[in-house]
Amino acid sequence: MAFVTRRGPWFVVGVLSLAIVFVALSVAVVIANSRTQSPTTGSYPRVAEIPRTDDVWPAVAFIGDAYTAGAAAGGAGNRYTTILCAQKRWRCSVNGQAGTGFTTRGPGTRGESEFVQRLSAVSKDGKPEIIVAQGGADTQSDPAQLAAAVTDFIQTSKRMYPDAQLYIIGTLVGPRSDRVAIRRTTETVERAASLLGVAFVDPNEDNWMKDPALFSEDGITLNQRGYRAYAERLGAYIP
């Protein structure tokens, strides 16, 4: 003989209540576990794991003459330094002063100074990983004096920024430049740089600007097209 147990409405209510409690506890455990575990592959990174932009962009310092200053560029946005820094994702400190060089202070009307005197200004934007010394109006300098000035610049750079990579870029020859004087100056600077193991780049030997249309009306400084081409050529030498 079978027994039949009768369950009233309160029994059903009790079963449903237990089920709701069980589901709620399960959800709570899942949420707690997700907060303690590390993000899995494909998940969004936590704020602490997102690299800072400043850490991604290397610090690069430019010291130079009218080219670095962007003479005849038609605005800072057209300078070769601006173009190159944007392409390379560099944080750049630019110190270009027309008429200056390793031995030449320039006209002095705006506080111009030789290259070595401007190294201390580089550190205001943080210690650079790369230093680029461009050109130099040193064609009238005595070769021995110029060699000594280049040596002083290199040694000072290494002492102040021992971890920085240094590049020296020779003076560019334009359609109306004194080719003989620039060639003589270039040989002196290149020799001094090589003795100290510093990279030297001669834009004339590699025919960077062989098209006269890349120069401004004075035949010495570059125009906007020329600065873009200069940035492209220089960028190929500096990783």
Side-chain angles (χ1 to χ4, degrees):
M1 182 175 181
F3 291 91
V4 178
T5 302
R6 295 183 178 180
R7 297 178 174 88
W10 290 110
F11 176 83
V12 176
V13 172
V15 171
L16 290 175
S17 299
L18 288 174
I20 292 172
V21 171
F22 177 80
V23 172
L25 289 174
S26 300
V27 172
V29 170
V30 171
I31 293 174
N33 288 337
S34 65
R35 290 178 175 175
T36 57
Q37 292 176 351
S38 299
T40 58
T41 303
S43 62
Y44 291 102
R46 293 172 295 188
V47 174
E49 296 172 339
I50 301 175
R52 291 173 51 204
T53 302
D54 287 350
D55 294 335
V56 176
W57 294 45
V60 180
F62 288 87
I63 296 175
D65 56 22
Y67 276 54
T68 298
N78 297 318
R79 296 186 305 195
Y80 83 86
T81 52
T82 305
I83 298 169
L84 186 57
C85 292
Q87 292 175 346
K88 292 282 192 177
R89 292 175 58 86
W90 289 343
R91 290 182 293 117
C92 290
S93 170
V94 180
N95 192 319
Q97 298 176 3
T100 63
F102 291 101
T103 62
T104 310
R105 181 173 297 180
T109 56
R110 299 182 180 180
E112 296 92 341
S113 59
E114 300 93 333
F115 286 1
V116 69
Q117 299 298 326
R118 281 135 64 184
L119 279 170
S120 58
V122 168
S123 61
K124 69 179 182 180
D125 297 318
K127 291 187 177 181
E129 298 176 38
I130 298 173
I131 298 175
V132 179
Q134 172 275 319
D138 298 305
T139 54
Q140 303 302 316
S141 301
D142 174 75
Q145 180 186 9
L146 177 57
V150 174
T151 300
D152 183 37
F153 176 85
I154 294 172
Q155 292 176 338
T156 303
S157 298
K158 291 184 174 182
R159 183 175 66 253
M160 295 179 67
Y161 312 106
D163 297 325
Q165 180 70 39
L166 179 61
Y167 293 86
I168 295 180
I169 315 301
T171 300
L172 187 64
V173 173
R176 297 182 183 177
S177 299
D178 187 338
R179 295 177 178 270
V180 175
I182 290 179
R183 180 69 257 173
R184 182 176 61 248
T185 299
T186 298
E187 291 174 351
T188 300
V189 175
E190 182 177 14
R191 190 179 306 112
S194 62
L195 287 174
L196 294 175
V198 171
F200 178 84
V201 180
D202 183 0
N204 306 303
E205 182 177 349
D206 295 328
N207 293 318
W208 282 14
M209 305 286 118
K210 59 183 179 181
D211 184 359
L214 297 175
F215 289 83
S216 62
E217 293 181 358
D218 65 8
I220 298 176
T221 54
L222 296 171
N223 55 29
Q224 291 184 11
R225 284 184 55 209
Y227 280 115
R228 287 195 296 271
Y230 192 93
E232 180 180 349
R233 303 292 192 280
L234 181 57
Y237 280 87
I238 304 177

